[in-house]
């Protein structure tokens, strides 16, 4: 069974940091692009970041550029999202998802991603 599991969410103060992990099972992670998405109540799911399978190229949504960093460790079958300088508007459920063909659309849309984790809650509040 193919599975993605997110972890690392929690409650942090504005300006704080969290590192999210996306662990994969059932496939070789290196064949897939992995994206991070988030969804807050009443809002559409938003693409946050993506890392490609071949070149390792990274992409970020405009709202997180300069604050978030995506990385991958194919041997550990894990993708990470380091989140720094967190803001209250970053509060959301964060999901990781895989794209079978290994590429990252520059706009990080939801549609090309086929397998999704269950999400991890990130709350940024004073």
């Amino acid at each position: 069974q193919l599975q993605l599991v997110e972890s690392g969410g929690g409650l942090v103060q504005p300006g704080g940091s969290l590192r999210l992990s996306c662990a994969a099972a059932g496939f070789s992670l290196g064949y897939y692009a992995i994206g991070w998405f988030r969804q807050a109540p009443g809002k559409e799911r938003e693409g946050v970041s993506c890392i490609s399978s071949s070149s390792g190229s990274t992409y970020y949504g405009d709202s997180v550029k300069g604050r978030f960093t995506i990385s991958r460790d194919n041997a550990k079958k894990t993708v990470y999202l380091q989140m720094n300088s967190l803001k209250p508007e970053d509060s959301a459920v964060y999901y990781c998802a895989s794209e079978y063909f290994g590429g990252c659309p520059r706009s990080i849309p939801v549609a090309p991603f086929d397998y999704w984790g269950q999400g991890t809650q990130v709350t940024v509040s004073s």
Side-chain angles (χ1 to χ4, degrees):
Q1 180 182 0
L2 178 63
Q3 188 176 47
L4 297 173
V5 180
E6 302 94 337
S7 63
L11 174 65
V12 297
Q13 294 183 332
S17 298
L18 284 173
R19 189 177 76 158
L20 306 183
S21 297
C22 174
F27 62 95
S28 297
L29 185 65
Y31 295 148
Y32 297 83
I34 300 294
W36 282 99
F37 300 81
R38 65 188 183 188
Q39 188 165 22
K43 297 183 179 180
E44 295 183 349
R45 191 164 297 187
E46 174 190 14
V48 174
S49 186
C50 184
I51 185 165
S52 67
S53 63
S54 57
S55 66
S57 299
T58 58
Y59 303 86
Y60 299 93
D62 290 341
S63 64
V64 306
K65 287 180 180 177
R67 299 188 297 121
F68 291 9
T69 303
I70 191 170
S71 62
R72 68 191 300 156
D73 186 333
N74 291 336
K76 295 182 178 180
K77 295 185 176 182
T78 303
V79 171
Y80 305 96
L81 184 68
Q82 179 67 46
M83 306 187 296
N84 299 325
S85 302
L86 285 163
K87 305 174 181 179
E89 51 263 44
D90 294 318
S91 297
V93 177
Y94 282 71
Y95 302 88
C96 65
S98 63
E99 195 283 313
Y100 181 81
F101 296 102
C104 290
R106 294 184 66 87
S107 63
I108 321 176
V110 170
F113 293 84
D114 45 7
Y115 290 97
W116 294 77
Q118 295 300 305
T120 185
Q121 177 71 50
V122 173
T123 302
V124 184
S125 177
S126 60

